[in-house]
Amino acid sequence: MARTHNHPGEQAAPDPIRLLDIRDTPLSVDEVFRAVGDDAAGGMALFVGTVRNHDDGQDVGSLGYSCHPTAVDELRRVAEKVVAEFPVRALAAVHRVGELDVGDLAVVVGVSCAHRGEAFEACRKLIDDLKHEVPIWKHQRFSDGTEEWVGAC
């Protein structure tokens, strides 16, 4: 049976962007999960990015994130593009700045849609575009004493 999009729950919510922030405090998966909850959503997709202990064959000792003052505005622009492309019921994205340890949450994004496929695709677009377009930079310090800056855009 072909799916129709006549029911209001099949369509994007009028104001689906529920949470956008860049913070210097620990992030919460539960907060993002609650933000994207919607009774019309049959699928919720979350992505959680953590600080790993290695990069490009080197051991990471620590890292810090910093951002441009326009980063929240750019995050909103990215979120609005996702909402325009997919029938999003709810969307949330938070990114951490400051000094982080291995295992800390660096970014949590979530999207809910009427169907799982749309939720997966929208969530993937959200995190990929966030990483490529929002001016957030990572300063990695390796265990051998070297360091590098990695730009998001």
Side-chain angles (χ1 to χ4, degrees), residues 4-11:
T4 64
H5 297 284
N6 294 336
H7 189 279
E10 298 282 337
Q11 300 161 9

Side-chain angles (χ1 to χ4, degrees), residues 17-22 72 75-77 79 91-94 126:
I17 299 173
R18 306 261 178 92
L19 171 65
L20 294 176
D21 205 5
I22 296 176
V72 173
L75 180 56
R76 175 161 297 281
R77 188 183 59 74
L91 177 148
V94 290
L126 177 59

Side-chain angles (χ1 to χ4, degrees), residues 35 48 66-67 81 110 114 140:
V48 180
S66 59
C67 67
K81 282 191 337 185
Q140 297 187 118

Side-chain angles (χ1 to χ4, degrees), residues 50-90:
T50 59
V51 177
R52 64 180 176 267
N53 67 359
H54 68 281
D55 190 37
D56 200 26
Q58 297 186 72
D59 291 333
V60 172
S62 65
L63 62 78
Y65 284 98
S66 59
C67 67
H68 191 271
T70 63
V72 173
D73 294 333
E74 289 302 307
L75 180 56
R76 175 161 297 281
R77 188 183 59 74
V78 164
E80 288 171 349
K81 282 191 337 185
V82 171
V83 166
E85 187 173 336
F86 297 94
V88 173
R89 299 298 308 170

Side-chain angles (χ1 to χ4, degrees), residues 17-32:
I17 299 173
R18 306 261 178 92
L19 171 65
L20 294 176
D21 205 5
I22 296 176
R23 300 178 177 163
D24 62 0
T25 57
L27 305 181
S28 166
V29 173
D30 289 339
E31 178 188 27
V32 172

Side-chain angles (χ1 to χ4, degrees), residues 88-109:
V88 173
R89 299 298 308 170
L91 177 148
V94 290
H95 202 294
R96 178 101 184 259
V97 293
E99 296 302 310
L100 283 75
D101 293 322
V102 170
D104 284 347
L105 304 183
V107 61
V108 182
V109 302

